[in-house]
């Protein structure tokens, strides 16, 4: 695809595994699963609310690289280690997307590569 832009965070896993933090294809941006890990450090250990907020900061930074923002998000997928964290994660999601109201999915009971990770989030964004 000629109008495809690969967006990188510079993290070591991108090249090792063969993926991009995000890909802009036409008017759509697909952001890979993002956690509260920044520069190799997990933020908000034991706190799903904080991990959600940090994951969305990671997502916002990827979107900003191609001139998009959270206001352009049309789809979120939230993956949780523990169903009990749904309310706190939902609160963080609602604070960011209350007026935007993207289509959303939340799944729980997942096992992450790092057992201290409580949340992973992927989004799709679109604009003219």
């Amino acid at each position: 695809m000629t109008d495809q832009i690969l967006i990188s965070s510079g993290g070591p896993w991108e090249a090792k595994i063969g993926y991009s933090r995000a890909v802009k294809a036409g008017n759509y941006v697909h952001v890979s699963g993002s956690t509260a890990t920044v520069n190799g450090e997990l933020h908000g250990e034991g706190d799903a609310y904080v991990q959600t907020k940090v994951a969305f900061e990671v997502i916002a930074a990827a979107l900003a690289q191609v001139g998009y923002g959270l206001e352009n998000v049309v789809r979120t997928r939230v993956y949780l280690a523990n169903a009990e964290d749904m309310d706190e994660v939902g609160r963080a999601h609602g604070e960011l997307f209350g007026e935007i109201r993207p289509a959303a999915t939340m799944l729980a009971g997942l096992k992450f590569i790092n057992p201290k990770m409580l949340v992973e989030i992927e989004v799709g964004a679109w604009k003219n």
Side-chain angles (χ1 to χ4, degrees), residues 7-22 32-42 112-114 117 120:
I7 301 160
S8 175
S9 67
W13 291 104
E14 292 172 12
K16 191 177 285 187
I17 294 175
Y19 79 98
S20 295
R21 166 62 35 222
S32 294
S34 301
T35 68
T37 304
V38 179
N39 297 323
E41 181 184 339
L42 179 65
F112 296 114
I113 292 170
N114 179 341
M117 289 178 186
E120 184 166 346

Side-chain angles (χ1 to χ4, degrees), residues 95-112:
E95 289 172 3
L96 293 167
F97 296 109
E99 297 299 316
I100 300 166
R101 298 184 60 178
T105 300
M106 190 179 295
L107 300 169
L110 302 170
K111 186 175 182 179
F112 296 114

Side-chain angles (χ1 to χ4, degrees), residues 70-113:
L70 292 177
E71 70 276 7
N72 302 115
V73 171
V74 296
R75 175 71 148 130
T76 65
R77 290 181 182 90
V78 179
Y79 306 100
L80 305 175
N82 306 305
E84 301 80 32
D85 292 331
M86 182 186 86
D87 289 338
E88 286 299 295
V89 171
R91 179 168 65 96
H93 189 282
E95 289 172 3
L96 293 167
F97 296 109
E99 297 299 316
I100 300 166
R101 298 184 60 178
T105 300
M106 190 179 295
L107 300 169
L110 302 170
K111 186 175 182 179
F112 296 114
I113 292 170

